[in-house]
């Protein structure tokens, strides 16, 4: 869907992005991670030509992005950034309507689209549409920022630390919403983040940038268990790695027949939660229940510990 | 072409420099270098560079101007650009001083030769070239003051050497040399004295309304209304009460209180300066970040200690830039004092307007602008170094 | 508080209107200030006409100055003009050191006496406050907003017209107000070069030692300035609310 070919950005003698090639599948969420200054934001901004590459090219659905004038290209690509960047002089509805209006949609179509998106993000259109950005909470502003980016049915959504300014609880909710909405709309998402939890929990694939170079591009599990460089390994933190690995999957496929007492664990709970529950209650096993509360079997401490080991796979 | 390719292309013009070069060279080529008049009242006759000067000197000026324009056009380093601008300005001005000797018969004391707009434009472009170069050099406050002293010394040397004595403005000066310096003293005393008086009243007032928030709005509102009274009128309005004071209070007249003259001017200028002084004290004291004040209180400082050790130092840059505005404003406004007999450089301006003698107007206006400029540079430097320490 | 301010405003407007239409109404009140035997009310020309010229000169100068200042500020904040920004700043800074009287006096020889030099001086003087405010307004637009605007696909022109200028509008209007106040007060000085403004009344008072003239001239100009500044202030607050800051 997005093909990045040997993309390089140089400022004078400073190579910010160095010969990066990357293939992003249709409908995937790719997280670009790296330390600050690793070139991840520049790489993202070259996709919609907010930054012009020094060399290399970007293809979206096979079409070279240089074939279209930058501002026209950007109308077909969603763009959401940290601090949302909502226009303070326009209402929420007008903000969401920005790109459809630029594309010359008729009024009724714009209105319908704005209402649809606001509802999708849990903001009652009649109440929030006429308000101005400063009348909304930080979490609501951020949701409007993403809604605006999605307004004109973009093929691609670029996000630069979109949840960076939110507190942890609001952020978790926003991430869950994004995942659900992305599944529903099927839009391809490129997400720049320095939050490794965000990357592992949201993304289908993680691209790791190090001093301008792309050092690894793989699934979260692969990146965790087989980091390509020392830097990639360090990014996840040695003391955190096993737990992150556990958090990527649910307990469902670790469930085995048997009997155990105490508080049951839901089958769709992630393995990290299950481990925490067993450790906290001092049990060696716990019953697992399905969505309807029916008993599926048990999960044992031993299976969980085994699953936390990188070598196991 | 990508931006990188443009950067690499060999010939790059400096856009600012190109504009200034066009302005300066255009002015010199198309505009009159001087305007000569048989006497100080009648209309002038324009003379181009090559008419106004002996051929060799004119050629030399043209050469220097062209060289400076080339430096401006190129990507030369700022130091070289500043030097080119200064050389052009000095050369233009010294050549200007030679024009009267070339254009008028020896011994003709009525003839007046004044700079034409060609000179003004070229001089303006040279000055801007210097200013632009100095901005690019990002001088620290002390270096800027040193540059100001050097410029002042250069101007004093040019005037003191007698090289410009034949120019019309210097002829006006020669006639009024004694009164010029007397008016200069009056102007300075009125402008700076009124700022000092406004500080003496306004600083405590500012601190007071900073602490007593309820009094802030009304105080600033009253001072704002005072500022809207036009300056001429405020000078006039004070004539009567001051005359009354002089008549009724014994000893008042002896200490200089009078209806006309410097007294109403001084009071009016002080009143005008009050609003900016109080305003900058209030906004300066309000500039300290609330967490810093909170921390200071938490550390056990009293209100006065917070004021003296936290709010005052943090507000110093704001206050000083306010002081700069007030000082520049009052140096300019002091010219109006001449209308109520208060003296100062305004005396020459209004005499000049009355006689339609532009040279006399300039004799009053140029020193006023120079004074304002010096005050602005000095107080800017002070404000900036206060900001660096805060 | 709000009611009191409105009462004060309307009272000022009413008194000004009465003075401009029938100045002789105030003859009795001003009489004690006039020298014995001298008239208390200025009648050499119609004060209404003087006020109209006064406001017209100030208005034209402010409009011209605003147009010039906006053009300069927009140019200096575009990529093509950014090299000029420091220069414009230092010229604006140095420009403020020119006293208005000097600008006025220097304009006389080139355009003659009357309203023309006043208009020139006022225009030149009015550029600086609008330029500085427009600059800080445009530069004050949050980088995130600009980034989002570009990302949403606005062209540079749309970015300027639909985002930067509307958001800078409160700052620009505050510059316009400053410029208008300076113009109204400098127009008074214009009377020293024979411009027919309300300053004529004050100058006549100074020339004939008639305090009554000075007082009525000063009060009329002050009232005019306060009312106009007040109205522009209201416009500024409206714009600030529209820009999402209130």
């Amino acid at each position: 869907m997005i093909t990045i070919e040997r993309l390089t950005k140089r400022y004078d003698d400073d190579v910010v992005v160095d010969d990066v090639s990357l293939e992003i599948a249709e409908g995937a969420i790719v997280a670009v991670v790296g330390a600050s200054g690793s070139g991840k934001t520049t790489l993202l901004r070259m996709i919609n030509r907010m930054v012009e590459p020094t060399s290399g090219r970007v293809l979206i659905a096979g079409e070279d992005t240089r074939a279209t004038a930058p501002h026209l290209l950007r109308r077909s690509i969603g763009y959401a950034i940290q601090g949302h960047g909502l226009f303070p002089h326009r209402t929420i509805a007008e903000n969401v309507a920005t790109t459809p209006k630029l594309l010359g949609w008729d009024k009724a179509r714009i209105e319908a689209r704005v209402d649809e998106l606001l509802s999708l993000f849990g903001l009652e259109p009649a109440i929030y549409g006429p308000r101005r950005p400063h009348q909304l909470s930080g979490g609501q502003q951020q949701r409007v920022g993403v809604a605006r980016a999605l307004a004109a049915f973009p093929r691609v959504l670029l996000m630069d630390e979109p949840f960076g300014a939110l507190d942890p609880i609001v952020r978790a909710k926003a991430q869950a919403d994004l995942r659900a909405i992305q599944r529903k709309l099927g839009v391809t998402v490129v997400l720049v983040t320095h939050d490794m939890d965000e990357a592992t929990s949201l993304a289908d694939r993680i691209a790791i940038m190090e001093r301008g170079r792309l050092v690894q591009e793989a699934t979260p599990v692969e990146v965790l268990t087989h980091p390509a460089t020392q830097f990639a390994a360090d990014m996840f933190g040695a003391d955190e790695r096993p737990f992150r690995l556990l958090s990527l999957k649910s307990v469902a496929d670790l469930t085995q027949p048997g009997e155990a007492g105490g508080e049951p664990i839901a089958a769709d709970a992630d393995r990290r939660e299950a481990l925490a529950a067993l450790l906290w209650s001092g049990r060696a096993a716990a019953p697992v229940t399905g969505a309807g509360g029916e008993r599926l079997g048990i999960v044992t401490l031993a299976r969980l510990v085994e699953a936390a080991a990188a070598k196991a796979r | 072409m990508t931006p990188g390719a443009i950067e690499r292309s060999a010939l790059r013009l400096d856009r600012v420099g190109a504009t200034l070069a066009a302005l300066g060279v255009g002015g010199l080529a198309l505009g009159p270098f001087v305007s000569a008049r048989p006497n100080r009242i009648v209309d002038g006759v324009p003379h181009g560079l090559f008419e106004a000067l002996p051929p060799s000197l004119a050629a030399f000026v043209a050469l220097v101007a062209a060289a400076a324009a080339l430096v401006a056009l190129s990507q030369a380093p700022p130091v070289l650009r500043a030097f080119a601008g200064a050389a052009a300005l000095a050369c233009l001005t010294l050549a200007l001083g030679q024009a009267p000797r070339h254009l008028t018969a020896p011994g003709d004391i009525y003839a007046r030769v004044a700079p034409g707009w060609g000179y003004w434009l070229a001089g303006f472009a040279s000055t801007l070239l210097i200013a632009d170069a100095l901005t690019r050099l990002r001088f620290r406050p002390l270096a800027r003051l040193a540059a100001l002293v050097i410029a002042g010394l250069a101007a004093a040397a040019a005037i003191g050497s007698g090289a410009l004595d034949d120019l019309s403005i210097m002829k006006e000066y020669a006639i009024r040399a004694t009164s010029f310096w007397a008016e200069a003293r009056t102007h300075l005393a009125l402008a700076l004295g009124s700022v000092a008086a406004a500080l003496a009243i306004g600083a405590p007032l500012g601190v007071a309304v900073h602490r007593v928030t309820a009094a802030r709005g009304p105080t600033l509102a009253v001072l704002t209304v005072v500022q809207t009274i036009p300056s001429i009128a405020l000078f006039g309005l004070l004539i009567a009460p001051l005359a009354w004071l002089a008549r009724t209070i014994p000893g008042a007249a002896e200490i200089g209180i009078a209806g006309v003259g410097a007294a109403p001017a001084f009071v009016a200028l002080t009143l005008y300066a009050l609003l900016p002084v109080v305003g900058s004290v209030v906004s300066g004291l309000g500039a300290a970040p609330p967490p810093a004040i909170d921390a200071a209180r938490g550390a056990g400082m009293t209100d006065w200690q917070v004021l003296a050790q936290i709010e005052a130092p943090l507000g110093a840059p704001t206050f000083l830039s306010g002081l700069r505005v007030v000082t520049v404003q009052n140096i300019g406004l002091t010219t109006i004092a001449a209308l109520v007999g208060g003296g100062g450089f305004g005396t020459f301006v209004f005499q000049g307007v009355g006689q339609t003698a532009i040279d006399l107007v300039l004799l009053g206006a140029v020193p006023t602008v120079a004074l304002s400029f010096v005050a602005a540079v000095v107080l800017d430097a002070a404000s900036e170094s206060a900001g660096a320490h805060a | 508080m709000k009611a009191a301010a409105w009462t004060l405003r309307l009272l000022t407007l009413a008194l000004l209107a009465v003075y401009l239409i029938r100045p002789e109404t105030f003859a009795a009140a001003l009489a004690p200030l006039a020298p014995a035997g001298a008239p208390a009310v200025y009648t050499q020309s119609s004060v209404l006409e003087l006020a109209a010229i006064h406001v017209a000169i100030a208005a034209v100068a402010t409009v011209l100055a605003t147009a010039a200042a906006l053009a300069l500020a927009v140019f200096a904040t575009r990529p093509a003009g950014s090299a000029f920004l420091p220069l414009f700043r230092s010229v604006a800074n140095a420009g403020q050191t020119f006293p208005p009287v000097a600008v006025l006096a220097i304009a006389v020889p080139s355009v003659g006496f009357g309203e023309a030099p006043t208009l020139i001086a006022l225009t030149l003087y009015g550029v600086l406050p609008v330029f500085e405010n427009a600059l800080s307004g445009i530069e004050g637009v949050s980088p995130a907003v600009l980034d989002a605007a570009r990302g949403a696909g606005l062209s540079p022109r749309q970015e300027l017209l639909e985002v930067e200028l509307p958001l800078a509008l409160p700052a620009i209007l505050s510059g316009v107000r400053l410029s208008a106040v300076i113009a109204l007060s400098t127009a008074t000085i214009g009377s020293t070069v024979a411009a027919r403004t309300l300053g004529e009344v004050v100058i006549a008072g100074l020339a004939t030692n008639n305090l009554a003239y000075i007082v009525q001239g000063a009060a009329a100009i002050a009232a005019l300035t306060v009312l106009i500044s007040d109205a522009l202030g209201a416009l500024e607050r409206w714009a600030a609310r529209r820009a999402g800051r209130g």
Side-chain angles (χ1 to χ4, degrees):
Chain A
M1 171 60 191
I2 305 178
T3 308
I4 294 172
E5 277 181 16
R6 310 206 59 179
L7 212 52
T8 296
K9 180 63 191 180
R10 217 179 282 123
Y11 291 105
D12 295 325
D13 294 331
D14 223 2
V15 185
V16 182
V17 171
D18 190 1
D19 196 19
V20 169
S21 295
L22 180 62
E23 194 79 34
I24 296 170
E26 171 110 47
I29 298 186
V30 173
V32 183
V33 301
S36 51
S38 61
K40 55 188 193 295
T41 292
T42 308
L43 178 67
L44 182 86
R45 290 163 66 91
M46 282 193 282
I47 297 175
N48 66 350
R49 293 180 66 191
M50 297 287 275
V51 171
E52 293 290 353
T54 308
S55 64
R57 60 177 193 159
V58 177
L59 308 177
I60 296 181
E63 193 184 326
D64 194 323
T65 52
R66 285 172 303 182
T68 321
H71 64 279
L72 299 178
L73 170 75
R74 291 180 201 133
R75 293 176 190 175
S76 65
I77 299 176
Y79 185 62
I81 53 176
Q82 178 169 16
H84 60 75
L86 294 182
F87 304 140
H89 59 306
R90 295 193 172 165
T91 65
I92 297 307
E94 286 167 345
N95 264 285
V96 175
T98 304
T99 309
K101 226 170 134 188
L102 289 171
L103 292 170
W105 290 15
D106 64 56
K107 237 180 126 189
R109 188 174 173 212
I110 294 178
E111 231 164 77
R113 180 62 178 160
V114 168
D115 285 2
E116 183 190 348
L117 275 168
L118 287 181
S119 308
L120 187 60
F121 281 88
L123 298 164
E124 178 55 48
I127 296 172
Y128 291 98
R131 293 200 183 169
R132 294 199 187 260
H134 70 97
Q135 295 168 311
L136 267 57
S137 72
Q140 290 170 332
Q141 290 174 340
Q142 186 278 332
R143 275 182 273 163
V144 176
V146 180
R148 177 176 66 181
L150 290 170
F153 301 103
R155 295 170 286 182
V156 175
L157 175 60
L158 305 179
M159 307 183 93
D160 190 356
E161 304 269 6
F163 310 119
L166 303 180
D167 65 63
I169 294 171
V170 180
R171 188 188 311 162
K173 167 91 170 69
Q175 289 165 348
D177 285 353
L178 175 70
R179 184 86 241 196
I181 287 166
Q182 190 268 344
R183 286 279 174 265
K184 192 167 163 188
L185 303 178
V187 60
T188 309
V189 176
V190 184
L191 168 80
V192 160
T193 179
H194 64 258
D195 177 348
M196 299 314 296
D197 277 325
E198 184 166 295
T200 45
S201 64
L202 270 181
D204 300 313
R205 296 184 75 83
I206 294 180
I208 300 179
M209 296 279 292
E210 193 179 339
R211 273 178 270 123
R213 302 193 72 99
L214 178 68
V215 295
Q216 188 171 16
E217 196 269 325
T219 63
V221 174
E222 257 178 84
V223 171
L224 261 170
T225 51
H226 299 95
T229 64
Q230 186 57 45
F231 172 79
D234 291 346
M235 283 210 57
F236 290 95
D239 55 345
E240 283 275 339
R241 274 184 306 197
F243 306 106
R244 282 190 207 279
L245 190 56
L246 285 177
S247 71
L248 290 175
K249 286 194 171 167
S250 69
V251 292
D253 34 330
L254 290 186
T255 306
Q256 59 192 82
E259 286 298 326
E263 190 76 14
I265 292 168
D268 61 352
D270 74 50
R271 295 169 181 182
R272 184 182 187 156
E273 290 171 46
L275 177 67
L278 287 180
L279 290 175
W280 196 248
S281 58
R283 289 176 288 172
V288 176
T289 50
E294 74 283 11
R295 235 169 226 225
L296 300 176
I298 60 165
V299 62
T300 64
L301 194 56
R303 286 296 302 271
L304 285 169
V305 169
E306 194 186 319
K311 301 285 176 289
R313 57 212 64 235
Chain B
M1 196 156 53
T2 65
I6 296 171
E7 274 156 35
R8 276 191 303 276
S9 73
L11 247 180
R12 260 206 311 159
L13 288 186
D14 185 279
R15 307 173 70 112
V16 176
T19 313
L20 294 182
L23 199 67
V25 172
L28 219 46
L30 304 174
F33 189 61
V34 295
S35 134
R37 289 162 295 172
N39 64 59
R40 65 196 280 250
I41 313 291
V42 300
D43 282 342
V45 179
H47 293 282
L49 181 62
F50 281 84
E51 293 164 12
L53 297 174
S56 56
L57 184 56
F60 178 69
V61 172
L63 211 67
V64 171
L70 277 181
V71 172
L73 278 172
S74 69
Q75 296 279 316
V79 182
L80 186 59
R81 301 169 73 83
F83 182 74
L89 187 62
C91 179
L92 284 166
T93 307
L94 291 175
L96 183 70
Q98 297 303 311
R101 240 159 274 178
H102 183 65
L103 288 173
T104 54
D108 180 352
I109 56 164
Y110 298 109
R112 289 286 192 273
V113 176
W117 62 261
Y119 167 81
W120 288 123
L121 219 52
F124 181 60
S126 314
T127 313
L128 289 187
L129 182 58
I130 303 173
D132 183 48
L134 293 183
T135 318
R136 293 189 201 190
L137 284 171
R138 292 175 197 282
F139 273 166
R140 287 161 175 282
L142 258 182
R144 284 211 301 272
L145 290 183
L148 181 69
V149 170
I150 293 171
L153 287 176
I159 295 169
S161 70
L164 306 176
D165 279 356
D166 294 323
L167 285 176
S168 55
I169 180 171
M170 292 308 291
K171 284 193 172 176
E172 295 290 346
Y173 166 73
I175 302 169
R176 297 176 176 77
T178 347
S179 68
F180 179 86
W181 290 107
E183 300 299 4
R185 277 192 297 277
T186 311
H187 199 106
L188 266 182
L190 275 178
L192 300 185
S194 62
V195 170
L199 277 179
I201 304 165
L205 189 61
V207 172
V209 299
H210 170 68
R211 300 180 64 91
V212 187
T213 28
R216 198 179 299 167
T219 309
L220 291 177
V222 169
L223 293 176
T224 308
V225 171
V226 171
Q227 282 252 315
T228 62
I229 303 175
S231 47
I232 302 187
L234 189 57
F235 285 90
L237 286 177
L238 290 163
I239 294 175
L242 288 173
W244 179 79
L245 272 183
R247 272 199 313 274
T248 45
I249 305 221
E254 280 70 37
I255 58 167
I257 294 178
V260 288
F266 186 83
V267 177
L269 289 170
T270 306
L271 285 177
Y272 269 124
L274 267 184
L275 172 72
V277 167
V278 174
S280 64
V281 168
V282 169
S283 60
L285 292 180
I293 296 173
D294 218 40
R297 288 233 176 80
M301 286 193 191
T302 63
D303 281 358
W304 284 108
Q305 284 169 329
V306 171
L307 178 70
Q309 298 179 26
I310 310 294
E311 290 171 305
L314 286 176
T318 311
F319 170 70
L320 283 171
S321 68
L323 188 62
R324 167 200 191 274
V325 173
V326 175
T327 310
V328 169
Q329 169 199 292
N330 269 24
I331 291 174
L333 275 179
T334 303
T335 41
I336 311 275
L339 276 182
V340 291
F345 288 127
T347 313
F348 302 126
V349 173
F350 287 114
Q351 274 178 16
V353 168
Q355 304 172 10
T356 57
I358 180 71
D359 306 321
L360 196 48
V361 170
L362 286 177
L363 185 64
V366 171
T368 310
V369 171
L371 265 184
S372 308
F373 185 73
V374 170
V377 173
V378 170
L379 287 170
D380 262 348
S383 161
E384 202 173 295
S385 48
H389 293 305
Chain C
M1 192 66 206
K2 215 164 181 180
W6 272 107
T7 318
L8 206 59
R9 252 171 231 151
L10 291 175
L11 195 68
T12 313
L13 185 62
L15 283 174
L16 180 66
V18 171
Y19 172 73
L20 292 181
I21 297 163
R22 291 181 54 89
E24 56 278 13
T25 316
F26 294 92
L30 290 166
L33 299 173
V41 171
Y42 187 78
T43 48
Q44 276 87 324
S45 42
S46 146
V47 282
L48 184 61
E49 190 192 331
L50 291 180
I53 300 174
H54 196 119
V55 173
I57 293 180
V60 171
T62 306
V63 167
L64 290 177
T66 301
L70 277 184
L72 287 175
V74 166
F75 172 68
T77 49
R78 298 309 99 187
S82 60
F84 288 83
L85 184 58
L87 186 68
F88 284 178
R89 263 189 214 285
S90 35
V91 171
N93 238 328
Q96 267 162 342
T97 64
F98 279 70
V101 193
V103 178
L104 201 62
I106 293 170
V108 168
S110 41
V111 295
F113 281 88
E115 282 80 27
T118 313
L119 190 62
I120 291 177
L122 262 53
T123 305
L124 287 178
Y125 225 66
V127 172
L128 306 173
V130 184
F131 175 71
E132 290 198 333
N133 276 275
L135 212 54
S136 69
I138 293 174
E139 287 182 335
V141 177
S142 126
V145 168
L146 289 182
D147 204 48
R150 289 213 295 144
L154 272 74
S155 64
R157 193 188 149 80
Q158 288 168 327
E159 196 181 321
L160 173 69
L161 294 179
E162 291 177 27
V163 179
E164 288 177 279
L165 286 182
L167 287 175
L169 190 62
I172 294 170
L173 284 177
S174 139
V176 171
R177 186 168 61 91
L178 217 59
S179 187
V181 168
I182 292 173
L184 285 166
S185 105
T186 312
T188 314
I189 307 175
S191 294
T192 60
V193 295
R196 300 199 57 229
T197 70
L198 282 173
E200 195 180 300
V201 182
V202 178
I203 302 277
L206 283 175
T208 59
N209 246 328
N210 190 337
L211 189 60
Y213 283 2
I214 299 178
V215 168
Q216 59 193 276
I221 297 164
L224 211 56
T225 311
V226 168
L227 288 173
I228 291 175
S229 158
D230 203 42
L232 290 171
L235 194 65
E236 195 182 316
R237 285 189 297 280
W238 168 83
R241 269 199 309 280
R242 280 213 26 157
R245 263 183 265 148

